[in-house]
Amino acid sequence: MLISFELENWRSFRDKSTLNLVASREKQHSNRLPFIEKYKLKLLPTTAIYGGNASGKSNFFSAFRFAQTLVLEGIPLKSPIPVLPFRLDSDLEKLPTRFKFVIVVSTGQGVDTINQDECYEYSFAVSRSHVIEERLIWIKSTAEKILFARKEGEKTVFDSSIRNDENLYRILDSTRDNQLFLTNAANQNIEKYKTDKLIQVYRWFERLTLICPDRQVSTLAFWNRRQKDELHPLEHILSKMGTGITRLDFEDVDKMASPFPHGFIETALKPIPDGTSVLVTYFKRRYLLQRNSDAVSIKQLISFHASADSKRKTIRFDLADDSDGTIRVIDLLPCFLTAIEQNTGVYIIDELDRSLHTLLVRRLLEYYLSSCSHVSRSQIIFTTHDVMQMDQELLRRDEMCVTDRKNDGSTELIPFSSYRDIRKDKSVRTSYLHGQLGGVPNLPLNDLFSFQ
């Protein structure tokens, strides 16, 4: 789970901004708050991020994508780090970009997670040329231990519990200037006890799931185990929604007739372990790719619709023939189903309401939140413009925040719980639309079209 995420000097986020998922003291919907027993900590199962166009919502999402890619895949030898600092201030372009994750790593599931949760703080600062700082802290219930602290121009420090592990020093010596130590340690496949905590933090980034309309590859665990006979939950919901779909299936695709350009499959499968499937988007179609040793299988996801005549029961559709809303539901539903079934993982969705009716978005959120409890270990964080979900009957005040663009062009992240005048019986939506909470577009309607 995610306790907090802090970023600084990333795109429109000039100053330090923090997404805090620690629950406030308010009592509303308290029955669905995950409780970390060892730390006496209540966390939020969801957060909605609102804001006007160009206010920074997608920049916030891209920060997660950049950090995850840097941790899991790293940067090729002698390549620059594709960092994107705040560009409207020339001084800041020369300063590092900083990220800090405070996370909960759960080693069990459901009630078994109690007393098996561990908290860590992982942070790093990077420029285009190299890693400037990197630090991993193990947060115990009564104290903190700096497992390692790496800083430009200084000697890397290891905690006494792992200081005698010669593997770590060998890994440190082989870590490039443009590479994170955590990445290199995990790629060395060291499974010894002394480095186990490093691997656990790396695995947390592996399980972090990002979903956005323009993302080509989905590594959702849903697709790892779903084959022809196991798509029933998705089929059932799509049928009940009135999409016309009665069945989903996978069709084998001949590799010689692959629609992908040269190198596409290798790039998509590069960070994926053997035996793991990924769902790839290509020209509105969805393909399931899986690598086993040197063999690669390709399957296309297709839909079947009920026929209007008596000659055929169903008619085969490419997903490209289905509506944008239907395709969006097929992309999103596995996220919600996985969060509920596995009861673990952090899922971050950009533009949740894209191509979806507001009542459907509401139902998805209600469906997920109804499954949350004190033993839950999953979270769904999303950006949206859908103000119909800005409702305290659905979300707590601390589960809603807004990105607001300031006069200097920088983005500020503001939780609604910071406004003391928002009572439990007050309409948050009305206050937001009237501009009292920030994050709405500045539209001078009287002279907006004065060029005519």
Side-chain angles (χ1 to χ4, degrees):
M1 298 190 75
L2 182 65
I3 297 175
S4 67
F5 171 60
E6 184 179 288
L7 71 165
E8 182 180 354
N9 195 24
W10 170 261
R11 305 194 75 162
S12 63
F13 287 90
R14 168 182 175 160
D15 304 315
K16 185 184 299 182
S17 297
T18 303
L19 176 67
N20 186 0
L21 285 97
V22 177
S24 65
R25 294 182 178 181
E26 71 172 272
K27 303 298 184 183
Q28 198 169 15
H29 305 305
S30 59
N31 60 310
R32 57 170 170 77
L33 297 179
F35 182 58
I36 313 300
E37 174 70 30
K38 184 184 294 185
Y39 299 88
K40 307 301 179 185
L41 187 65
K42 291 183 179 180
L43 297 179
L44 302 174
T46 190
T47 293
I49 303 174
Y50 287 89
N53 296 107
S55 65
K57 297 189 307 300
S58 292
N59 290 342
F60 191 83
F61 178 89
S62 71
F64 278 95
R65 179 152 58 179
F66 169 81
Q68 184 187 45
T69 302
L70 189 63
V71 170
L72 297 184
E73 300 180 31
I75 303 298
L77 180 66
K78 297 182 180 180
S79 295
I81 301 173
V83 69
L84 297 170
F86 185 75
R87 296 179 59 189
L88 302 182
D89 186 329
S90 58
D91 292 334
L92 279 177
E93 286 191 275
K94 303 172 185 176
L95 296 178
T97 295
R98 298 178 180 275
F99 298 97
K100 181 193 293 184
F101 295 83
V102 183
I103 63 174
V104 178
V105 175
S106 301
T107 56
Q109 290 189 354
V111 295
D112 294 331
T113 60
I114 297 177
N115 296 324
Q116 296 185 42
D117 298 305
E118 298 288 352
C119 290
Y120 298 93
E121 177 190 298
Y122 178 63
S123 61
F124 58 85
V126 295
S127 66
R128 286 187 60 81
S129 60
H130 62 288
V131 176
I132 296 171
E133 294 180 29
E134 183 183 7
R135 186 166 70 167
L136 177 61
I137 300 175
W138 175 24
I139 305 174
K140 304 176 73 174
S141 57
T142 57
E144 295 183 356
K145 278 192 173 186
I146 300 177
L147 295 179
F148 73 83
R150 172 190 178 198
K151 190 172 184 178
E152 181 184 25
E154 298 181 9
K155 183 180 179 181
T156 298
V157 177
F158 292 106
D159 180 68
S160 58
S161 62
I162 59 176
R163 193 174 296 154
N164 296 325
D165 189 345
E166 295 181 0
N167 289 313
L168 292 178
Y169 294 95
R170 187 166 60 250
I171 293 168
L172 179 63
D173 289 340
S174 67
T175 301
R176 304 189 306 270
D177 289 343
N178 69 344
Q179 185 181 35
L180 295 171
F181 174 73
L182 179 66
T183 305
N184 197 23
N187 289 339
Q188 297 293 331
N189 199 26
I190 301 297
E191 297 292 349
K192 293 184 179 180
Y193 171 76
K194 290 183 179 180
T195 58
D196 182 54
K197 297 187 184 307
L198 276 67
I199 302 299
Q200 285 183 10
V201 173
Y202 182 87
R203 296 283 183 252
W204 185 90
F205 282 94
E206 279 190 326
R207 292 189 292 268
L208 176 64
T209 302
L210 308 179
I211 300 174
C212 69
D214 65 347
R215 191 166 176 85
Q216 285 187 314
V217 179
S218 170
T219 57
L220 270 171
F222 181 91
W223 300 112
N224 290 344
R225 63 188 192 281
R226 249 63 181 191
Q227 294 298 326
K228 292 183 179 180
D229 297 332
E230 298 181 0
L231 288 167
H232 174 69
L234 197 52
E235 294 171 334
H236 174 78
I237 297 172
L238 288 168
S239 175
K240 293 292 185 181
M241 284 173 50
T243 61
I245 292 177
T246 60
R247 183 165 61 92
L248 293 172
D249 209 339
F250 287 108
E251 281 185 352
D252 291 324
V253 176
D254 188 341
K255 284 181 289 186
M256 300 301 295
S258 167
F260 307 116
H262 178 71
F264 183 94
I265 294 177
E266 290 75 12
T267 301
L269 291 175
K270 182 180 178 181
I272 307 302
D274 275 2
T276 302
S277 300
V278 294
L279 193 73
V280 171
T281 298
Y282 194 71
F283 286 99
K284 290 186 68 173
R285 295 178 174 87
R286 302 296 186 270
Y287 297 90
L288 195 70
L289 307 182
Q290 186 177 67
R291 179 179 57 208
N292 289 302
S293 298
D294 295 330
V296 175
S297 65
I298 307 173
K299 299 176 184 291
Q300 182 179 351
L301 183 63
I302 57 173
S303 64
F304 288 88
H305 290 243
S307 174
D309 59 56
S310 57
K311 298 178 182 179
R312 297 171 295 179
K313 291 184 178 180
T314 58
I315 300 175
R316 178 195 180 280
F317 273 54
D318 277 343
L319 283 191
D321 299 325
D322 282 300
S323 71
D324 289 342
T326 298
I327 296 173
R328 182 66 171 155
V329 170
I330 291 174
D331 287 340
L332 288 177
L333 271 177
C335 167
F336 285 84
L337 291 171
T338 304
I340 293 170
E341 290 176 0
Q342 295 196 351
N343 189 30
T344 187
V346 179
Y347 306 85
I348 303 177
I349 305 172
D350 194 22
E351 299 184 38
L352 173 62
D353 54 315
R354 177 84 166 264
S355 301
L356 296 183
H357 192 281
T358 185
L359 292 179
L360 176 55
V361 175
R362 177 81 172 212
R363 189 66 190 96
L364 284 173
L365 292 172
E366 289 176 339
Y367 176 54
Y368 167 67
L369 291 173
S370 66
S371 72
C372 295
S373 69
H374 71 283
V375 297
S376 297
R377 293 297 182 267
S378 66
Q379 290 168 309
I380 293 180
I381 301 165
F382 60 94
T383 69
T384 182
H385 286 291
D386 188 356
V387 296
M388 294 305 293
Q389 316 314 325
M390 197 178 285
D391 181 358
Q392 293 191 72
E393 292 297 319
L394 176 69
L395 300 172
R396 294 160 51 101
R397 286 172 295 176
D398 52 6
E399 291 176 330
M400 294 177 276
C401 58
V402 63
T403 54
D404 195 26
R405 184 66 70 94
K406 299 190 290 186
N407 292 334
D408 62 3
S410 66
T411 296
E412 183 179 16
L413 184 66
I414 309 169
F416 284 176
S417 56
S418 66
Y419 295 98
R420 295 185 178 181
D421 59 337
I422 301 180
R423 303 185 307 272
K424 185 172 68 173
D425 59 345
K426 187 173 183 178
S427 171
V428 181
R429 184 187 309 122
T430 301
S431 299
Y432 173 73
L433 293 176
H434 286 171
Q436 298 171 10
L437 307 178
V440 292
N442 183 17
L443 300 176
L445 295 179
N446 293 333
D447 58 358
L448 186 62
F449 303 103
S450 58
F451 62 89
Q452 295 179 342

